Amino acid sequence: MSDGQAHSTGGVESALKPQQPATVTVLVVEDEYALRSLVARYFRKRGYDVMEAADGAQGIRLLQTSLPSIALVDLLMPVMDGTEFVRRVRALNHRFPILLVSASPEAFEACETFACDGVVTKPFDIIKLAAKVEEVLKRA
Amino acid sequence: MNKRRRTLVFQSMAIGLVLLVAMVLPISGLWMSNKASQRLEHIVEARDVANGIDQSLADSAVGLREYEISGTTPATRDAGGLALAKAGNAGLVRTLANARTIWVPTEVRGLLMNMVSVGEGYAVITARQIESLSMSEGDPALARQGAVARAASLQASVDFSTAARQVSDEAISAATSARHVSLGLAIAAAVFVALCVGSFAALQAVGNRKRLAVAEQTAEARTQMVSLASHELRNPLAIVSLSAQMLEIEAEATGNADFIQMAHDTRTAAARADSLVAELLDLSRIDAGRLHLRLEPVNLSALLDPAIDATRLHRGPRKFECRGLDSDLQVLADPARVSIILRNLVDNAVKYSPEGSTVLVEVRSNAGAVTVDVIDQGPGVAEDEQERIFERFQRSERTLHIDGVGIGLYLSRELARRMKGDLKVIPTSTGAQFRLSLVSHTGVSTVRETAIV
């Protein structure tokens, strides 16, 4: 998964060591381009590092290089959907917090099944989303 | 002539034919049976008459004989005996005359007439013999003729009786079989009618079932399509909403009031559009029996403001008066669905009341329930419509000139009830008053209660 090098955004070490990394990384997994870009743009402006994935498969590939501090995951995506992505993440023993961002009612069940940290329904208020992210990171 | 009418005409003709056949069969059977019975009656009557003739012949012969042996000469013969003989012969003549008048079947008419004429011949000879006996010792030739005539009469009578018995036996069996046939025909007719009606009904049922299946499939397909399309709309709406919010943030940084307003309006409109999409989705979920609500503490005032804001965008500014709106007031409900209900109530109030009038929103809380009354100064809801307006696709007669599809109140009440609340009309003298009631959340527990309903 990781090459053992310490990246500022985390990697294996951040999974093993409980310390807070230097910058916080948000992984955005969302297939709708504009939505993904806007969210990424907003979080970068607030000083976060942002990783972007257009589907679950890309998300899993990104996890091979570094682990985020938190992931925002849409459910309905092509290739590999959000539920499958979350299932694999948990199966790989990654315990980083996950917020499901979705319009489907299935999100609530998936949240409980895979021990996610919350559901944010679309359309969302970005300020409230950011507040929720900060709240969840504080708890972690 | 279109297909449906043609089918109807054919069906009516078929029914008419069936009824005709069903009536004709038993009627003809009955007629046959009746005719056979009549025949039998006539035969019986003729036999009675023939018996009468026999009896009269006997009486006449006995009378004559009595007179003959009552004395050796006219002087010594018993006058009573003479009277008896004359009476007996007169009786015979009457009976024979009567026999000529009755109706008998052709097969035995000849024999009856023969019997009658032979009897008449005997009566004439007997009369002459009585005459001669009353004046002298009698004419032996007449006596011989009389005996022969009597024998002939008896023979004719036997012939007739035999023939009559045969004919009446035939008539009896004909009558019986006619009765059986007529009964059989009546039963056959009834069965025929039953079969026709039964098959007609079965065909109708099959046709109906097919039509119903097609209709259900179409409705199902349409529901699915609406559901998919609605779902598709949510992402673009989310983008519009998010972009507008980020523009709003930038605009606030520059302080440009116009930009701020435009960005805000864009968000409001996007939120309204998304709420309409949510309504369509909820409607199809209700139809599919798959509506799941998640109950949590919900702040009413937080949901009321966007609803009011949306009407301003949609229909222009309107005066709203809000009473009892406590920012701490919470209900246990599904936030998205409460939003839908409030939007519908507030939008209806503005839609159905004149410009310049005020819409009043009054919130009250008592004994575990929270009520939200939305009151407008429009035409109101007539008493006979108070239930109907909550039915799907129903519109009040008086407000048909105003736009709208008619699902808002139906959906709102469904949702309210599934959240253990209700939505109803409160009768008022002027305007309309709608009351939404929901379960209040005491706010003590911080555990999020979720219920799948």
Side-chain angles (χ1 to χ4, degrees):
Chain A
M1 213 183 322
S2 158
D3 58 6
Q5 279 182 298
H7 295 256
S8 59
T9 49
V12 169
E13 279 125 56
S14 81
L16 295 175
K17 292 187 208 159
Q19 77 211 33
Q20 197 78 327
T23 41
V24 177
T25 310
V26 178
L27 168 62
V28 180
V29 190
E30 161 69 63
D31 65 318
E32 192 79 39
Y33 169 73
L35 220 46
R36 190 176 69 240
S37 306
L38 286 169
V39 170
R41 191 185 138 105
Y42 184 81
F43 279 98
R44 282 187 187 118
K45 277 195 142 179
R46 289 177 68 88
Y48 293 77
D49 261 357
V50 180
M51 297 195 287
E52 297 179 49
D55 58 60
Q58 280 189 19
I60 296 288
R61 277 201 295 279
L62 286 175
L63 291 181
Q64 293 170 355
T65 50
S66 51
L67 287 180
S69 319
I70 184 170
L72 305 175
V73 182
D74 179 28
L75 283 199
L76 292 170
M77 297 183 292
V79 184
M80 186 195 299
D81 68 14
T83 313
E84 185 58 28
F85 171 77
V86 172
R87 185 204 314 278
R88 296 223 187 161
V89 163
R90 291 296 186 235
L92 291 169
N93 222 8
H94 296 317
R95 294 268 149 237
F96 58 77
I98 295 178
L99 281 178
L100 298 177
V101 183
S102 181
S104 341
E106 285 89 48
F108 292 97
E109 285 170 44
C111 181
E112 281 171 24
T113 314
F114 298 107
C116 300
D117 296 72
V119 175
V120 177
T121 53
K122 284 181 189 171
F124 49 81
D125 179 323
I126 189 79
I127 296 175
K128 289 194 178 136
L129 175 63
K132 183 94 182 151
V133 164
E134 269 155 35
E135 179 201 333
V136 167
L137 285 172
K138 270 203 194 64
R139 282 192 296 189
Chain B
M1 203 194 287
N2 63 25
K3 187 174 177 208
R4 187 162 169 71
R5 196 164 300 181
R6 228 195 351 249
T7 317
L8 229 58
V9 166
F10 280 150
Q11 283 176 353
S12 318
M13 280 173 60
I15 289 172
L17 196 64
V18 165
L19 285 175
L20 195 66
V21 169
M23 284 195 305
V24 163
L25 289 181
I27 286 176
S28 52
L30 276 171
W31 182 83
M32 276 167 60
S33 162
N34 211 33
K35 274 237 124 22
S37 299
Q38 271 183 344
R39 230 170 111 82
L40 187 58
E41 273 173 33
H42 286 306
I43 298 289
V44 166
E45 193 188 349
R47 282 171 74 174
D48 288 343
V49 164
N51 287 341
I53 295 174
D54 282 350
Q55 189 63 45
S56 307
L57 268 174
D59 290 346
S60 169
V62 162
L64 183 61
R65 187 81 192 118
E66 289 252 355
Y67 184 57
E68 276 180 339
I69 63 172
S70 65
T72 48
T73 61
T76 57
R77 278 172 192 141
D78 176 12
L82 178 64
L84 199 64
K86 281 191 181 156
N89 216 35
L92 176 63
V93 169
R94 272 200 309 276
T95 312
L96 290 169
N98 185 36
R100 283 196 173 274
T101 65
I102 65 169
W103 184 95
V104 287
T106 356
E107 300 96 307
V108 295
R109 179 184 300 286
L111 287 170
L112 182 67
M113 289 304 116
N114 183 44
M115 187 172 80
V116 164
S117 62
V118 168
E120 280 166 352
Y122 170 77
V124 162
I125 295 171
T126 309
R128 289 219 297 257
Q129 177 72 330
I130 291 172
E131 198 58 63
S132 71
L133 278 173
S134 68
M135 288 192 304
S136 67
E137 287 183 8
D139 185 345
L142 272 178
R144 270 197 308 278
Q145 277 179 28
V148 167
R150 182 145 184 274
S153 285
L154 288 172
Q155 185 57 49
S157 172
V158 165
D159 291 343
F160 176 76
S161 288
T162 313
R165 188 170 32 243
Q166 203 173 332
V167 170
S168 72
D169 283 347
E170 283 171 15
I172 289 172
S173 72
T176 315
S177 48
R179 216 166 281 147
H180 288 162
V181 166
S182 115
L183 187 66
L185 284 174
I187 291 174
V191 167
F192 179 58
V193 170
L195 278 175
C196 289
V197 168
S199 47
F200 182 68
L203 279 171
Q204 286 282 63
V206 165
N208 281 347
R209 230 199 314 263
K210 252 193 257 176
R211 269 192 293 272
L212 189 66
V214 167
E216 276 179 355
Q217 272 178 0
T218 313
E220 174 77 31
R222 236 182 245 137
T223 310
Q224 277 212 20
M225 194 199 71
V226 167
S227 184
L228 285 169
S230 306
H231 214 82
E232 285 284 308
L233 285 168
R234 297 199 107 161
N235 266 350
L237 284 172
I239 293 170
V240 168
S241 194
L242 185 54
S243 308
Q245 187 181 14
M246 295 182 64
L247 280 169
E248 200 178 27
I249 294 169
E250 303 281 335
E252 270 159 7
T254 67
N256 188 323
D258 286 336
F259 286 176
I260 295 172
Q261 186 64 54
M262 284 192 283
H264 178 80
D265 286 351
T266 306
R267 287 186 74 197
T268 305
R272 178 161 180 269
D274 188 78
S275 188
L276 292 170
V277 165
E279 282 189 42
L280 286 172
L281 283 172
D282 275 354
L283 209 61
S284 60
R285 282 182 193 130
I286 286 176
D287 278 348
R290 277 200 311 254
L291 184 72
H292 302 307
L293 302 183
R294 302 193 70 88
L295 306 183
E296 59 186 65
V298 169
N299 188 316
L300 273 180
S301 53
L303 295 177
L304 198 52
D305 290 336
I308 292 175
D309 222 4
T311 71
R312 180 188 57 80
L313 217 61
H314 186 47
R315 303 186 189 276
R318 195 66 92 80
K319 278 201 294 276
F320 276 88
E321 195 183 318
C322 300
R323 294 185 200 156
L325 214 58
D326 189 345
S327 57
D328 288 339
L329 193 62
Q330 292 195 319
V331 290
L332 188 66
D334 183 311
R337 274 79 187 218
V338 173
S339 177
I340 286 174
I341 300 171
L342 290 175
R343 281 172 186 273
N344 269 292
L345 290 179
V346 164
D347 191 64
N348 276 352
V350 171
K351 186 159 86 173
Y352 291 110
S353 63
E355 266 188 63
S357 65
T358 307
V359 174
L360 170 63
V361 179
E362 196 161 356
V363 180
R364 281 198 213 92
S365 162
N366 52 8
V370 171
T371 58
V372 181
D373 282 8
V374 179
I375 302 159
D376 69 65
Q377 302 303 318
V381 181
E383 205 177 310
D384 55 332
E385 286 172 339
Q386 280 175 9
E387 263 310 305
R388 213 168 58 85
I389 50 173
F390 289 102
E391 288 166 29
R392 252 217 242 208
F393 305 127
Q394 284 301 321
R395 300 290 314 283
S396 157
E397 291 295 311
R398 300 199 271 148
T399 54
L400 280 174
H401 60 283
I402 301 175
D403 63 4
V405 170
I407 63 167
L409 283 176
Y410 161 76
L411 183 63
S412 299
R413 185 157 78 162
E414 268 304 309
L415 294 175
R417 286 181 172 172
R418 285 166 195 245
M419 293 189 283
K420 310 273 193 296
D422 200 2
L423 176 63
K424 52 176 176 253
V425 176
I426 305 291
T428 47
S429 44
T430 56
Q433 180 170 351
F434 283 80
R435 174 168 297 168
L436 167 69
S437 36
L438 293 168
V439 174
S440 86
H441 181 76
T442 53
V444 175
S445 123
T446 51
V447 172
R448 187 168 81 176
E449 296 169 46
T450 60
I452 314 278
V453 296

